[in-house]
Structure formats: C-alpha cells, structure tokens
Amino acid sequence: DTGVSQDPRHKITKRGQNVTFRCDPISEHNRLYWYRQTLGQGPEFLTYFQNEAQLEKSRLLSDRFSAERPKGSFSTLEIQRTEQGDSAMYLCASSLAILGETDTQYFGPGTRLTVL
Amino acid sequence: AQSVTQLDSHVSVSEGTPVLLRCNYSSSYSPSLFWYVQHPNKGLQLLLKYTSAATLVKGINGFEAEFKKSETSFHLTKPSAHMSDAAEYFCVVGGGTDKLIFGTGTRLQVFP
C-alpha cells in the first residue's frame, strides 16, 4: 500500500504526559499537512510543510504543540503536557504541489488520542 | 476568507432513491471545492474536486456535484443510493494557502 500512513493508530495517555505521532506521506509528495478532528466536527488545519519548511501554523497550534519534517519525508507531531482538551483524531495528509490550484490532499487513517 | 456551510447535519434516504447533500461556500476568489467521505474507522477519501474546468464534476462511486457561482453552491448528488454510501460527507474549500477548510459534515443514513 502506498498511501499515507500514521502511527500509532490509537494512543491513550494521562494528562501531563508528552506524546508523539508519526506520519509517512505518499513518497513523491512534497507537501504534508496536519489536521485535528474532534467528535462531530470537520477536521481543522493545524500546520503544513513544503519539503522541510514549515510554512504555516494555525493559531490552534499552541506552544505545547510542535511539528517537524526533518528530511522532507516523514513528519512528527509532538504534544507536550497533554490536556484533556487535546483528545481528538489527528489526521495527516500529503499532496503534490500544483502551481495555480489547490492541491488534492490524500489523508491517512489518523491517530486517535485520548487523554485521561 | 473562505468558508463552507453544510445545510443538513443528517440526511436519511432509502436504498435506490436519490441523494442530495447541500453545501454553500464563501470565497473571496475563484475557489477550489471538494467533497470528501469518511466511513467509520476509515480515513477521509476524496470523492471529487472542482477547479473551474467544468461546472459539473463527476466523482467516484456515481457521485457528482455542480458548481453554481450565482448561488454559491456545490451540492453533491447521486441518482440511486446504496447501503455502502452510509457515511459522513464533508464539503471542503481550498483555503488560499492550500490548507483545506472543512464544513461540519453531513451524516448520510441509507435504509433498506
């Protein structure tokens, strides 16, 4: 399967702990996105990378959140000092940038985070 | 700023009858519009994409959507519902800097 993969699929943690999620994009894609989806809502944009560069961060991304894409391939999203409000599905998507139009983004299965 | 409004949070249809999921958009320029589907415990799957090439866009699994600029609408339709169509559907607008802005979703139920 050559789609977007995410690991782990589920994570249960206690409040105050740090967690890290990984996303492996489709191999030829140069853009990688992170979204967060809470119950009953549509996904909300968090941040995105073009190659290694983090080009935009949402105001939803507090200073407890950090994302990296060190070699322009896989990406990690870390949440420090987790809070119960961080419980959500974290989605990763990748795309191939096309000049002049919005990319088609392909989504992974998501990582479901539960903070107790 | 771009936004989308999905007019129905739930739609129920009988198998074999038409499906209509409604979406209005707001955009300060010519938008890119998408419909994604999310089945339980599965990732988001692209149904179709509008990028101004044609106002009627055909997607996968028999779905299509029509872009109507005068009505700022991008409704999703299918002539005949199948049980496997039961899922959450999201209308999405491209957010200018390539982030996607999702609607709140419409849950489609299909009854036998």
Side-chain angles (χ1 to χ4, degrees):
Chain A
D1 184 50
T2 57
V4 178
S5 61
Q6 293 187 245
D7 184 69
R9 296 289 304 276
H10 303 274
K11 178 70 177 179
I12 299 173
T13 191
K14 293 182 179 179
R15 189 176 53 187
Q17 298 294 304
N18 299 342
V19 295
T20 299
F21 309 141
R22 177 180 169 123
C23 171
D24 286 89
I26 294 171
S27 59
E28 64 267 26
H29 285 181
N30 55 356
R31 286 187 175 171
L32 186 148
Y33 302 78
W34 286 99
Y35 293 82
R36 180 171 67 188
Q37 185 177 21
T38 54
L39 203 61
Q41 299 296 317
E44 295 176 292
F45 170 79
L46 293 178
T47 187
Y48 92 97
F49 295 82
Q50 178 150 327
N51 301 313
E52 308 85 12
Q54 189 173 16
L55 296 187
E56 186 175 348
K57 292 193 293 185
S58 164
R59 56 184 171 78
L60 293 175
L61 213 65
S62 77
D63 56 6
R64 297 185 297 105
F65 288 69
S66 61
E68 294 183 342
R69 194 183 184 199
K71 297 182 180 179
S73 57
F74 74 91
S75 175
T76 58
L77 177 68
E78 181 183 16
I79 309 174
Q80 296 182 327
R81 305 181 303 281
T82 52
E83 302 172 356
Q84 287 184 325
D86 297 331
S87 295
M89 177 76 86
Y90 289 84
L91 297 167
C92 176
S94 71
S95 70
L96 184 64
I98 300 172
L99 191 64
E101 68 177 53
T102 302
D103 315 341
T104 297
Q105 296 180 25
Y106 296 89
F107 284 81
T111 295
R112 182 169 296 283
L113 173 67
T114 302
V115 182
L116 301 176
Chain B
Q2 286 73 44
S3 66
V4 288
T5 302
Q6 292 186 245
L7 301 172
D8 307 291
S9 58
H10 290 87
V11 170
S12 297
V13 300
S14 297
E15 191 174 24
T17 64
V19 175
L20 170 64
L21 305 183
R22 299 181 296 164
C23 173
N24 286 351
Y25 71 90
S26 173
S27 179
S28 52
Y29 51 85
S30 184
S32 291
L33 292 162
F34 308 78
W35 278 96
Y36 280 84
V37 61
Q38 189 173 40
H39 288 90
N41 300 316
K42 292 192 175 180
L44 286 158
Q45 182 183 18
L46 178 69
L47 278 177
L48 50 83
K49 173 182 179 181
Y50 166 78
T51 55
S52 78
T55 57
L56 184 63
V57 184
K58 293 189 182 300
I60 62 171
N61 300 334
F63 284 94
E64 62 182 36
E66 186 172 7
F67 174 74
K68 292 187 176 181
K69 186 176 180 179
S70 60
E71 299 176 10
T72 62
S73 69
F74 190 59
H75 301 335
L76 181 71
T77 60
K78 183 173 181 178
S80 176
H82 192 272
M83 295 295 291
S84 61
D85 294 328
E88 188 88 17
Y89 291 79
F90 291 98
C91 182
V92 183
V93 63
T97 54
D98 295 307
K99 65 187 177 187
L100 298 180
I101 298 170
F102 285 75
T104 51
T106 298
R107 180 162 298 278
L108 176 65
Q109 286 186 302
V110 183
F111 294 104

